[in-house]
Amino acid sequence: MSGPVVAVTADTSMLSWTIWKDVPAAVLPLAYLEKVTGAGGSPVLLPPLPDAVEEVMERVDALLMSGGQDIEPARYGAVPGPYALPPDPVRDEAELRALAVAARRGIPVLGVCRGLQLMSVSRGGTLHEHHPRHSPKVPGRYDRRTVRLAPGSLAGQVMGASASVYCHHHQSVDVLGAGLVATGWAEDGLVEVVEDPSARFVVGLQAHAELGEDTAGLFKAFVDAAR
């Protein structure tokens, strides 16, 4: 029997490989797909195409929001600060539409890094635009951190009282979106995990959950919730 079908949001980039050069492409680190299949799910890439995502989202069992570039600051009533990275408004729009369908259908949603941030923004939340202490020491490399998890929370039940995770982010949630509660924190109190306790499964992890072993239980709970 095939596992639940999980739509995984893809990024856009200009790539060159074999005979192709500087081709616009939809891309995603393989680790996301491996984590879904390892948990018993069947992943499909959700392209950053606003006119396509809604129909795809009607046919899947869950939504995994992947990491990526900064969200357009205007989405949460801000202007770009000095450390802002170039946003992708088309991807933002596509993923907001995907989240809207997921919410209407009540299917499980797991957000990773940018995914968590967009989940909150979609509900009226805002972001801290830059955290010097949480920015990667070396661009492109992940820093390992320990996050503390709330007892009784969904994340706490599947990952324990604390978890060792891999981080690569310079932004984080400021004001949480409606219905979301913080259930995990970094050592300095920065929000690292959020959940919607009224939903079957709506969880966001600021760290890159596609990496490391401590998040395997979270992915299994996510896929199981989609069955």
Side-chain angles (χ1 to χ4, degrees):
M1 179 182 295
S2 61
V5 177
V6 179
V8 189
T9 60
D11 204 347
T12 56
S13 184
M14 297 292 290
L15 298 181
S16 300
W17 72 102
T18 62
I19 64 171
W20 293 279
K21 182 174 177 59
D22 296 331
V23 177
V27 298
L28 180 77
L30 188 63
Y32 287 98
L33 308 181
E34 292 173 335
K35 263 296 201 297
V36 172
T37 56
S42 300
V44 296
L45 261 63
L46 187 67
L49 302 173
D51 292 336
V53 297
E54 294 177 65
E55 184 173 351
V56 176
M57 285 300 302
E58 295 289 352
R59 304 182 183 191
V60 301
D61 303 307
L63 172 64
L64 172 56
M65 303 280 291
S66 64
Q69 67 270 58
D70 292 358
I71 297 163
E72 188 175 27
R75 297 277 184 184
Y76 52 94
V79 297
Y83 297 97
L85 300 177
D88 183 346
V90 176
R91 182 184 178 186
D92 290 348
E93 178 62 26
E95 295 185 0
L96 287 168
R97 293 189 188 187
L99 279 169
V101 176
R104 174 173 55 77
R105 294 185 58 210
I107 62 176
V109 178
L110 175 59
V112 173
C113 197
R114 164 197 157 89
L116 175 156
Q117 295 166 11
L118 195 62
M119 287 165 59
S120 185
V121 167
S122 74
R123 295 166 175 238
T126 62
L127 301 179
H128 290 293
E129 287 198 61
H130 186 62
H131 274 296
R133 286 182 296 174
H134 284 261
S135 296
K137 298 180 181 65
V138 179
R141 292 187 184 179
Y142 296 87
D143 296 325
R144 196 160 189 165
R145 292 196 180 96
T146 298
V147 297
R148 173 175 56 87
L149 300 165
S153 66
L154 195 157
Q157 291 175 34
V158 298
M159 293 196 293
S162 65
S164 179
V165 295
Y166 291 87
C167 297
H168 190 292
H169 62 87
H170 78 109
Q171 298 188 326
S172 70
V173 294
D174 180 10
V175 176
L176 276 173
L180 296 175
V181 297
T183 60
W185 303 266
E187 293 178 354
D188 61 1
L190 185 141
V191 173
E192 292 279 353
V193 185
V194 303
E195 302 179 16
D196 181 349
S198 70
R200 177 171 30 150
F201 188 108
V202 172
V203 178
L205 184 68
Q206 180 65 67
H208 278 264
E210 78 276 15
L211 303 175
E213 295 302 319
D214 282 15
T215 57
L218 184 64
F219 269 85
K220 186 175 188 310
F222 168 57
V223 171
D224 286 348
R227 296 186 186 279

